[in-house]
Amino acid sequence: MYSIKQVSAMLGMPAVTIRAWENRYGAVSPLRTESGYRMYTPEDVEDLRWLKEQVELKGTSISQAVRELKMDKSVFAKIDSFPHLASQGSEDAFEQMSGKIFEALFKFQTEEANKLIDFGFSIYGYDAMFYNILVPVLVRVGDAWESGQASVAQEHFMTELITRRFLQFFHIFPVHSYLPKAISFCPEGEYHQVGLMLFSLLLRRNGINVIFLGANTPVDGILEIINEQGIGIVCLSITDQRSVPKADEVVRLISSHYPKVKFLLGGQGYGGENKTAYPDFVLWEQPEKWQEWLERFIEQEHIKNV
């Protein structure tokens, strides 16, 4: 839950505008504390972000934008083709939603895919939607491409759309200035970024400011970014053990220029026959243990920076 001050900072909107949109047009309906202070859910933030985009980028009036938003929500509430999707925690429901999103993306149905994703967030929330629905979609996209069922164009379209939805949440979570800033990417030649994306979101969710560069990132320019942005943590992810030498080369280059930078290396590529020269930097914990590990890491970094 977020205060109106936090929402204002996240969206770059004056608090007075947020209150006006709420009071005059019913844009959102935030909860109230016992003291009467507004508290906004992540869904409220996303609704306000969408309304802001319609007004500023498309020139839509706020009244019209709110009508469109409420119309979409009404449609979601009446969708009769998802009879089991509102069953919280149901593996069958997650599988059905994941399958419908994949089908829409496979057919290049952008609006349908986005509406399904919006609907999923509204009933399942952040964690379940990402981990139980969108991640399986990305895995299925990769499998379809490798088997030849999906063309390069389809794979690119599906991956890019879901990636954009992932990255939208980077702007929802506030960052803590006492924590080091991070940069995350896959080295050149490594195209699988699902694990990196999830880990980067976890970092951001815990207050660490992350610059996400994504897959197949050449080393050219990385040193400049580290210097200009004051990067303290570099996250590298590989899924192919043949990428270990390339990743080690990147670590060696960066550490030679910035010896105080910390490295977090992860992905299925670490664990094969190609052994990294930097095993102490590898995050060996399984995804379900990432949060516990990160809490210990943040506590240590907080102590060092106080």
Side-chain angles (χ1 to χ4, degrees):
M1 302 292 286
Y2 306 99
S3 67
I4 193 168
K5 183 177 180 181
Q6 290 174 312
V7 175
S8 175
M10 284 188 282
L11 300 182
M13 291 177 61
V16 65
T17 300
I18 297 174
R19 286 192 291 266
W21 286 7
E22 173 193 336
N23 295 330
R24 298 178 188 175
Y25 307 103
V28 291
S29 299
L31 300 176
R32 296 273 186 164
T33 66
E34 293 182 357
S35 302
Y37 292 106
R38 293 172 169 84
M39 296 301 293
Y40 297 81
T41 66
E43 289 76 19
D44 291 332
V45 176
E46 280 304 294
D47 285 348
L48 288 168
R49 187 189 305 281
W50 185 87
L51 291 170
K52 182 173 183 283
E53 290 175 353
Q54 304 309 302
V55 172
E56 295 184 355
L57 301 181
K58 298 184 179 180
T60 306
S61 68
I62 181 59
S63 58
Q64 177 62 30
V66 170
R67 282 196 296 270
E68 292 178 4
L69 178 65
K70 291 185 175 181
M71 185 179 299
D72 281 345
K73 288 181 176 290
S74 176
V75 169
F76 293 148
K78 297 177 181 179
I79 291 179
D80 58 6
S81 57
F82 311 144
H84 306 296
L85 296 186
S87 176
Q88 294 287 343
S90 166
E91 291 301 321
D92 288 341
F94 293 151
E95 186 175 347
Q96 287 183 50
M97 175 66 83
S98 183
K100 289 182 178 296
I101 292 172
F102 177 84
E103 183 180 350
L105 291 171
F106 193 82
K107 296 177 180 178
F108 295 97
Q109 296 174 343
T110 305
E111 292 300 321
E112 179 68 13
N114 277 317
K115 285 185 177 182
L116 285 166
I117 293 172
D118 290 338
F119 180 60
F121 277 120
S122 70
I123 61 175
Y124 297 129
Y126 168 85
D127 288 327
M129 190 60 190
F130 276 130
Y131 293 98
N132 297 98
I133 296 175
L134 291 183
V135 170
V137 171
L138 284 173
V139 172
R140 186 173 174 184
V141 168
D143 291 342
W145 175 69
E146 290 181 357
S147 66
Q149 295 178 327
S151 66
V152 174
Q154 285 174 311
E155 187 275 338
H156 182 75
F157 168 77
M158 292 188 282
T159 301
E160 285 299 310
L161 187 144
I162 294 181
T163 299
R164 287 197 302 272
R165 297 307 301 261
F166 270 96
L167 296 181
Q168 284 178 349
F169 277 77
F170 269 53
H171 305 289
I172 290 181
F173 305 123
V175 298
H176 303 312
S177 59
Y178 64 80
L179 294 174
K181 184 182 289 188
I183 188 173
S184 63
F185 60 95
C186 300
E188 196 168 9
E190 178 65 61
Y191 294 90
H192 299 284
Q193 61 179 359
V194 176
L196 178 71
M197 195 182 305
L198 291 174
F199 187 72
S200 299
L201 279 167
L202 179 68
L203 293 179
R204 183 61 187 262
R205 191 179 185 188
N206 283 270
I208 295 178
N209 193 358
V210 185
I211 298 175
F212 181 82
L213 300 181
N216 189 35
T217 301
V219 72
D220 295 341
I222 294 295
L223 294 179
E224 288 78 4
I225 294 175
I226 293 174
N227 179 54
E228 293 173 0
Q229 298 297 322
I231 299 298
I233 304 173
V234 173
C235 304
L236 281 174
S237 176
I238 58 174
T239 57
D240 189 336
Q241 62 173 312
R242 292 172 296 182
S243 297
V244 169
K246 173 67 74 174
D248 281 357
E249 180 183 333
V250 173
V251 173
R252 192 175 301 113
L253 174 65
I254 295 175
S255 59
S256 67
H257 287 79
Y258 302 101
K260 293 185 178 181
V261 167
K262 297 180 180 295
F263 293 88
L264 295 176
L265 312 179
Q268 297 179 353
Y270 294 104
E273 295 179 358
N274 278 357
K275 302 299 182 181
T276 176
Y278 304 97
D280 292 341
F281 297 161
V282 178
L283 178 59
W284 299 107
E285 282 82 353
Q286 294 299 310
E288 57 268 21
K289 297 291 185 179
W290 284 355
Q291 180 63 43
E292 296 178 15
W293 173 88
L294 186 57
E295 288 174 359
R296 294 194 299 271
F297 176 81
I298 289 178
E299 182 179 2
Q300 293 170 359
E301 286 303 311
H302 190 190
I303 293 174
K304 291 180 181 178
N305 286 278
V306 168

